[in-house]
Amino acid sequence: MRSAESRVRTALRSGGRAFVLSFEALAGSAVLFILSLLSFTLILLGVGLVTTPWLTQAVRKHANRRRLLAVQWSDVRIPVPYRPFPKDVRDGFTGQVERTTLILKDPATWRDLRWLLLDMTAGFVLLVFCWALLVYPVEGLVLAAGLWRVFEDSTYWYAFVPVDSQLTGLAAAALGVVLFHVGVRASRPLLRLHFVLARSALAPAPEELAQRIDRLTETRHEAVDTAASELRRIERDLHDGAQARLVAMGMNLGTIEALIEKDPAQAKKLLAMTRTSSAEALTELRDLVRGIHPPVLAERGLGDAVKALALRLPITSEVTVELPGRAEAPVESAAYFAVSESLTNVVKHAGADRMWVDVHHAEGMLRISVTDNGKGGASIGAGSGLSGIERRLGTFDGVLAVSSPAGGPTMVTMEIPCALS
């Protein structure tokens, strides 16, 4: 009984999601498809140079939202293969021409356009079937309950059943029950099929693997540069902080040695100062070690390390962890610092008073989502903290997706392919 209730609940949830998504697929995708085509045709007149980058960004946000829902609702992973803009793109008219040219040369732009067309047709039909198989049976029950009397003088067709009497009304109800059972079993697979269809249109072609290799090479170089920069920071912090304090302590101890018989009171004061300096040096060393590789991460794993991070935040947080094992140390470290940067961004910029962190592993993928109830408007771009997170994840072939409409909420989803031990 409980299993049947669970199946019905799951089916109704899938049907509700499909119902909401069907409007987004029909209206959103159709409008963006038409406007994109219109913008492309107006490029020669100059108007398209202004509208195309803006519309393409809107299409990519629309597609990234679908990628996010595909992961959350059906565990379907759709790659994000957009080519990044060069950092030296100029401003003004020349920059607009350059941006538009780069957009038109990106194969992902045309895949997005193909997906919009597919989403508002076949994708929409799958979504309608997903919720209609759960809603349409209600009509059969209502007909059997007495609504058939309205059609006594004519024939009303319920699917392939002509309803004009109580007997045919009961036949319509029986058909409705059958359709509902079909809907309970088919709604979740139909929703997943919708996302699989989206993946078939949005996923990069095999010939783009060379581009992906280039991107991975670039991220490896960025990782090396980041590591070198981090090493310089550690050396600077040691030189300016703990090392300077230890040198001062050594000098104080020499002075104390000289004063201990001549001026015991002054020696006692210097000893107190030295004790304070040693405590401060120890604190600085601990902070430095925590910044390199937190002890809690090494000893207890990613889940407990993220929980410890959340406990130090000034806003209310809820952390859910479902990890049956541990990932390799470099992956755990990258995931930890990515979460740390995400939480820092929330505290600094989101204006939120509550956040949720979910960490789990499924289908060979470490998935982490950070959600807040702040003002929204977060985006991945030059100068954004999210860009640094994207580069950090890219080193491990990971991806970052952001859903942050104006007014919130904001959801940052991170994925890193890895196995747990």
Side-chain angles (χ1 to χ4, degrees):
M1 182 67 179
R2 225 177 251 178
S3 176
E5 288 179 3
S6 175
R7 279 201 301 269
V8 171
R9 240 189 336 261
T10 301
L12 291 176
R13 183 168 59 247
S14 297
R17 289 170 171 175
F19 180 76
V20 174
L21 200 56
S22 61
F23 291 98
E24 185 178 315
L26 183 62
S29 295
V31 169
L32 287 173
F33 179 77
I34 294 169
L35 290 178
S36 296
L37 287 182
L38 185 61
S39 180
F40 291 163
T41 58
L42 293 175
I43 287 176
L44 294 177
L45 298 178
V47 179
L49 295 175
V50 178
T51 58
T52 296
W54 179 82
L55 269 172
T56 303
Q57 189 66 22
V59 170
R60 291 182 177 184
K61 284 184 179 179
H62 183 54
N64 281 336
R65 170 172 163 74
R66 197 61 57 86
R67 289 183 173 96
L68 192 64
L69 295 179
V71 170
Q72 292 177 335
W73 291 354
S74 297
D75 278 337
V76 175
R77 182 174 180 266
I78 306 174
V80 184
Y82 302 117
R83 293 177 181 175
F85 280 129
K87 298 177 181 178
D88 57 349
V89 175
R90 291 163 287 185
D91 295 327
F93 178 77
T94 306
Q96 287 295 108
V97 173
E98 190 174 355
R99 285 188 187 88
T100 304
T101 303
L102 290 170
I103 287 169
L104 295 179
K105 286 183 176 180
D106 190 347
T109 300
W110 304 103
R111 278 197 302 271
D112 284 351
L113 204 63
R114 180 180 63 188
W115 168 70
L116 289 175
L117 182 60
L118 192 64
D119 190 49
M120 66 187 191
T121 52
F124 171 73
V125 170
L126 285 172
L127 292 172
V128 169
F129 270 110
C130 184
W131 60 262
L133 286 171
L134 300 172
V135 174
Y136 190 52
V138 176
E139 184 180 349
L141 298 176
V142 172
L143 286 169
L147 185 63
W148 65 269
R149 299 181 189 280
V150 177
F151 309 104
E152 277 186 301
D153 298 331
S154 61
T155 300
Y156 178 84
W157 288 87
Y158 178 75
F160 54 83
V161 177
V163 181
D164 54 9
S165 65
Q166 183 62 51
L167 183 62
T168 53
L170 291 173
L175 177 60
V177 171
V178 172
L179 290 176
F180 184 78
H181 278 281
V182 172
V184 167
R185 295 183 178 277
S187 59
R188 191 175 179 184
L190 282 172
L191 184 61
R192 180 179 174 81
L193 183 59
H194 167 83
F195 291 124
V196 170
L197 187 68
R199 182 175 61 187
S200 69
L202 290 171
E207 56 265 22
E208 292 181 51
L209 287 176
Q211 174 193 338
R212 187 177 180 186
I213 292 172
D214 291 341
R215 174 61 182 159
L216 287 174
T217 303
E218 181 183 344
T219 58
R220 297 301 187 272
H221 289 316
E222 289 176 350
V224 171
D225 293 340
T226 302
S229 175
E230 188 70 9
L231 182 60
R232 288 193 296 270
R233 181 189 68 79
I234 293 168
E235 291 173 345
R236 184 175 62 251
D237 289 349
L238 280 173
H239 183 272
D240 297 341
Q243 180 179 325
R245 292 188 184 279
L246 291 172
V247 170
M249 285 170 56
M251 295 174 64
N252 283 344
L253 287 172
T255 305
I256 290 168
E257 188 177 7
L259 290 175
I260 196 165
E261 294 181 357
K262 298 179 182 178
D263 191 349
Q266 185 64 27
K268 187 180 293 185
K269 288 182 181 178
L270 285 175
L271 274 173
M273 291 173 55
T274 304
R275 187 184 303 112
T276 302
S277 294
S278 68
E280 291 174 350
L282 183 60
T283 300
E284 289 182 357
L285 285 172
R286 283 174 176 167
D287 290 341
L288 189 63
V289 170
R290 190 180 294 114
I292 299 171
H293 193 77
V296 67
L297 179 63
E299 295 169 8
R300 300 173 62 181
L302 180 62
D304 287 338
V306 171
K307 290 178 181 177
L309 263 180
L311 286 174
R312 295 200 296 268
L313 296 176
I315 62 178
T316 304
S317 58
E318 182 179 327
V319 180
T320 303
V321 178
E322 294 181 10
L323 295 176
R326 294 191 60 173
E328 295 181 354
V331 173
E332 281 194 334
S333 180
Y336 172 84
F337 286 108
V339 173
S340 177
E341 290 177 45
S342 298
L343 298 182
T344 302
N345 286 340
V346 172
V347 173
K348 286 185 176 179
H349 308 297
D353 58 15
R354 191 170 182 83
M355 70 167 64
W356 298 264
V357 183
D358 179 74
V359 184
H360 69 280
H361 186 273
E363 296 183 351
M365 200 72 61
L366 176 64
R367 294 191 175 101
I368 304 171
S369 65
V370 178
T371 308
D372 67 76
N373 64 349
K375 61 187 178 182
S379 62
I380 303 173
S384 165
L386 295 173
S387 298
I389 298 175
E390 187 178 41
R391 287 194 298 272
R392 185 186 293 276
L393 298 179
T395 307
F396 298 90
D397 202 16
V399 295
L400 175 73
V402 179
S403 173
S404 183
T410 295
M411 174 177 281
V412 176
T413 301
M414 296 163 270
E415 292 186 356
I416 305 176
C418 67
L420 300 186
S421 59

